[in-house]
Amino acid sequence: MNNFEYKNPTKILFGKNQIENLTNEIPKNAKILMLYGGGSIKKNGIYEQVKKAISNFEVIEFGGIPANPEYAVLMDALKVIKEENITFLLAVGGGSVIDGTKFLSAAALFEGETPWDILSKNIRSLKGLPFGTVLTLPATGSEMNSGAVITRAETKEKLAMGGPGLFPVFSVLDPEVVKSIPQRQIANGLADAFTHVLEQYMTYPVNAKLQDRFAESILQTLIEVAPAILKDTSDYNAAANFMWSCTMALNGLIQQGVPSDWAIHMIGHELTALYGIDHARTLAIIARSHYTLNFEDKKEKLAQYAERVWNVTEGTKEEKAKAGIEKTTAFFQSLGIKTNLSDYTESYEGTAQQISKRFEERGWKGLGEHGKVTPSDVEKIVEMSY
Ligand code: NZQ
Ligand code: ZN
């Protein structure tokens, strides 16, 4: 097992009616900017619940943060933060609203030239304006980690940022919010969380037995609850297990002491930036080709995964590992997610070269757990996903 340091300061308030308790978590006399997305919270009652819970505070609202949070929109919110001397941010939404809020948390205290530098120059945020979240969509784990991904439509870029100053102070996880989530987003949440675990697991063995079993148990739980939550989003037990699995998949716990990959995400972000494909779906497009191209490096863990998660007992190590890749693709498809790039766009010719060129230009010359997935490998991976 590798050395590690682990600290996660986010307080979780989990369960029914926890939104009411928001008021106890926000500093007294805070001036709040409440941030939300395109309006789902106004249709499902979450907006009223939150407003009631924070009625003792001075609150300004900023709605309209789009899925794949857009830099230009966030810059409007940043103006409000500065003009109104906001002291606390409250994100009410899914990964996009929470990520947008993290960017604002960092940008509010940023002293450099332009906040875009935080993304383009990959500046880590050691301190941010404090913020809390009310999660409305289980998927990203953003509610309990310190990372964010921001999109800039103008240049078709989607870049990651983060740092120890960007953990939420608290996150409210009420599984009842799942009721109103459309099927497409439920499927996305399942696939995203599943891939988060894979990115931190499908590498090479380092004898981290507990981390492996944590990871495998999250995968098994997602596989078990997927049909139930897709069938009935008001099934509270399924929603609760789905929600907590998504949080645990990316709150840092399973990645301690083990190598991690993240190439699927880095390539996937380009597909969202270029074509607007939902984040989770880009992962389902890339995973199979990435694992196939890097089979030799990953076969030990692929075989272990096939055995322990999918009960594949027959065959050689290689055969089991291949079965692991097939089971993963079949799982995405069982959620109603298509797994080829050509299922999403007709104009995909040249995409592989374009992405590989971008990686080359950014100096991203070695992705993956061994740092050896080159831009030319990325080109092959994307091409294999057509
Ligand atoms: O905008 P509104 O109207 O609220 O609608 C949203 C949005 O259209 C809707 N929705 C959310 N909660 C709902 C609901 N609809 C009905 N009922 C509810 N309770 O769902 C749509 C998608 O929301 P979004 O926040 O975009 O989805 P998700 O949570 O999947 O977030 C995706 C973003 O997170 C980033 C992705 O790249 C993408 O930009 N990620 C963030 C990560 C992180 N910070 O750790 C890690 C991930 O790998 C990922 O990259
Ligand atoms: Zn993801």
Side-chain angles (χ1 to χ4, degrees), residues 9-48:
T10 302
K11 177 172 176 180
I12 296 295
L13 287 83
F14 189 96
K16 281 183 194 169
N17 305 321
Q18 287 282 23
I19 293 176
E20 285 170 16
N21 298 324
L22 261 178
T23 177
N24 307 324
E25 306 302 325
I26 301 173
K28 304 280 168 258
N29 306 320
K31 185 169 180 186
I32 303 173
L33 184 65
M34 173 178 163
L35 297 128
Y36 52 91
S40 68
I41 63 164
K42 294 210 169 152
K43 295 190 199 120
N44 56 20
I46 297 172
Y47 176 83
E48 283 79 14

Side-chain angles (χ1 to χ4, degrees), residues 90-161:
L90 181 63
V92 185
S96 294
V97 172
I98 300 177
D99 281 11
T101 302
K102 286 179 181 171
F103 167 77
L104 292 170
S105 161
L109 305 188
F110 184 64
E111 287 173 351
E113 211 164 294
T114 154
W116 183 248
D117 286 351
I118 302 172
L119 292 140
S120 65
K121 296 186 180 160
N122 200 3
I123 298 173
R124 280 172 67 71
S125 302
L126 302 178
K127 202 168 183 302
L129 193 66
F131 69 98
T133 89
V134 176
L135 180 68
T136 67
L137 173 54
T140 63
S142 189
E143 65 279 7
M144 200 178 175
N145 69 42
S146 60
V149 195
I150 304 298
T151 295
R152 191 169 189 178
E154 195 191 345
T155 50
K156 290 200 168 166
E157 284 173 286
K158 187 174 185 198
L159 296 174
M161 57 172 284

Side-chain angles (χ1 to χ4, degrees), residues 192-206:
D192 192 21
F194 199 85
T195 313
H196 292 160
V197 179
L198 294 180
E199 297 268 38
Q200 301 163 90
Y201 172 94
M202 207 63 81
T203 56
Y204 53 90
V206 292

